[in-house]
Amino acid sequence: MDVSYPNSSGSRRPASAAPAGACDAHMHIYDGRFALHGSPDAMVDKATASDYRLLQQRIGTQRTVVVQPRVHGTDNSVTLDAIRALGPARTRGVAVVHPDVSDAELARLHAGGIRGIRFTLYTPANAATDFSMVEPLAQRVHALGWHVQLHWSAGQIAAHADLLARLPCTIVFDHLARLPLPDALSHPAFDVVSRLRDDGRTWIKLSGPYLDSRVGAAGGYADTTAIARAWVRQAPERVVWGSDWPHPTEPAVKPDDAALFDLLGQWVPDAATRHRVLVDNPALLYGFPETTTKTETTE
């Protein structure tokens, strides 16, 4: 009998098994019990922590990073609740805050498992933050050992190269840094991010291939392989993988999450490096324990 998974096409499991302690370092929880920011049309149904557990069982990941979605604004209650529901020992979060956030609130978020803040400015008109907030907030969260996570367009990255160079904390670029295909390696933003990675503090999330792929699922997202491999080749110790579940940018046809997980095998053919991407790197970035067992998901 075929099993249906919320916000995910297909029902098969990935061709390759996830190693013990594997982390999905980029996903979102949407929950109508919590405050909304902007249009409720941006809500995603069947995207609660309970729904995500089914996806975990399908792809075999045990650790998770919950990224605050735009629709919930700066009320990070939904993400803190998801961390508790999915298990604080194996779940971390990335919040969205404004510069007026108090030190006490940052401390509360840290205690709840938050380890970074996100600036989703790819579409500024719908954003909960803006570019003027990036540097002052980066200064504050650096003291907590947090990172800033950036979902920016390639043009925005290139235009704000000086700002990025001034940031004191670790930087994490979402979704392969959103470089346009098929000419990602020749875009000015590739050089900007590459220079930042030379300093040892800049990471890439291998996620969201459908966001910029021109060949799409039918072509196996093959046009994303060159840029993904370039990021891995530059610094294999500073890349992580994420599902981007529940795929909020794809309301009509949801991607096949087993295929997305298997795509990592194309991006990172070497098994030892792939283990690093799934287990060791997220443990370092998010502060998970270095060792794990296969029973982590059974609490």
Side-chain angles (χ1 to χ4, degrees):
M1 179 185 297
D2 287 343
V3 178
S4 176
Y5 295 95
N7 291 293
S8 184
S9 294
S11 59
R12 71 170 181 87
R13 294 183 182 274
S16 56
C23 180
D24 178 356
H26 190 103
M27 50 75 69
H28 311 279
I29 294 297
Y30 293 74
D31 193 326
R33 295 177 299 155
F34 298 95
L36 302 183
H37 167 82
S39 173
D41 293 341
M43 273 294 288
V44 180
D45 293 332
K46 297 183 179 179
T48 66
S50 295
D51 295 315
Y52 178 71
R53 280 189 180 276
L54 299 175
L55 191 279
Q56 277 188 308
Q57 292 167 13
R58 180 185 182 190
I59 63 175
T61 52
Q62 297 173 322
R63 291 170 169 173
T64 310
V65 179
V66 184
V67 179
Q68 175 81 354
R70 175 172 54 85
V71 73
H72 285 295
T74 58
D75 181 352
N76 295 283
S77 301
V78 64
T79 295
L80 293 173
D81 181 78
I83 292 170
R84 290 190 294 268
L86 294 171
R90 58 178 179 268
T91 313
R92 299 290 184 266
V94 176
V96 176
V97 299
H98 282 166
D100 62 357
V101 64
S102 68
D103 290 343
E105 175 63 4
L106 290 177
R108 186 181 77 90
L109 293 173
H110 188 86
I114 299 298
R115 294 297 180 267
I117 54 173
R118 191 187 195 207
F119 295 91
T120 307
L121 299 173
Y122 191 90
T123 51
N126 299 324
T129 55
D130 61 51
F131 287 102
S132 72
M133 300 179 184
V134 176
E135 192 167 6
L137 281 170
Q139 296 283 352
R140 292 184 65 189
V141 303
H142 180 49
L144 294 167
W146 293 7
H147 60 270
V148 294
Q149 179 175 321
L150 308 178
H151 184 199
W152 296 3
S153 70
Q156 290 168 334
I157 291 170
H160 291 88
D162 291 343
L163 166 64
L164 292 167
R166 291 195 303 268
L167 299 183
C169 58
T170 295
I171 301 170
V172 180
F173 285 100
D174 279 353
H175 308 318
L176 301 169
R178 295 303 308 266
L179 302 187
L181 300 173
D183 302 317
L185 299 178
S186 61
H187 194 283
F190 177 76
D191 291 334
V192 172
V193 176
S194 296
R195 288 195 299 271
L196 290 168
R197 299 193 86 202
D198 287 341
D199 69 8
R201 295 183 297 111
T202 300
W203 295 61
I204 300 289
K205 286 194 174 184
L206 304 178
S207 58
Y210 42 80
L211 293 171
D212 293 295
S213 175
R214 293 190 176 186
V215 302
Y221 308 110
D223 52 349
T224 64
T225 297
I227 184 59
R229 288 185 177 179
W231 293 137
V232 175
R233 187 166 54 248
Q234 275 186 0
E237 74 281 9
R238 280 181 278 114
V239 287
V240 293
W241 176 84
S243 68
D244 196 30
W245 186 91
H247 316 293
T249 61
E250 314 301 308
V253 179
K254 295 294 183 178
D256 182 332
D257 284 280
L260 294 180
F261 188 83
D262 287 339
L263 181 61
L264 185 62
Q266 299 297 317
W267 289 348
V268 190
D270 178 69
T273 304
R274 201 159 56 247
H275 185 279
R276 195 174 193 178
V277 171
L278 288 169
V279 181
D280 304 326
N281 292 353
L284 176 63
L285 181 60
Y286 300 105
F288 292 116
E290 291 187 6
T291 58
T292 184
T293 69
K294 292 185 179 181
T295 60
E296 273 196 334
T297 58
T298 61
E299 272 185 16

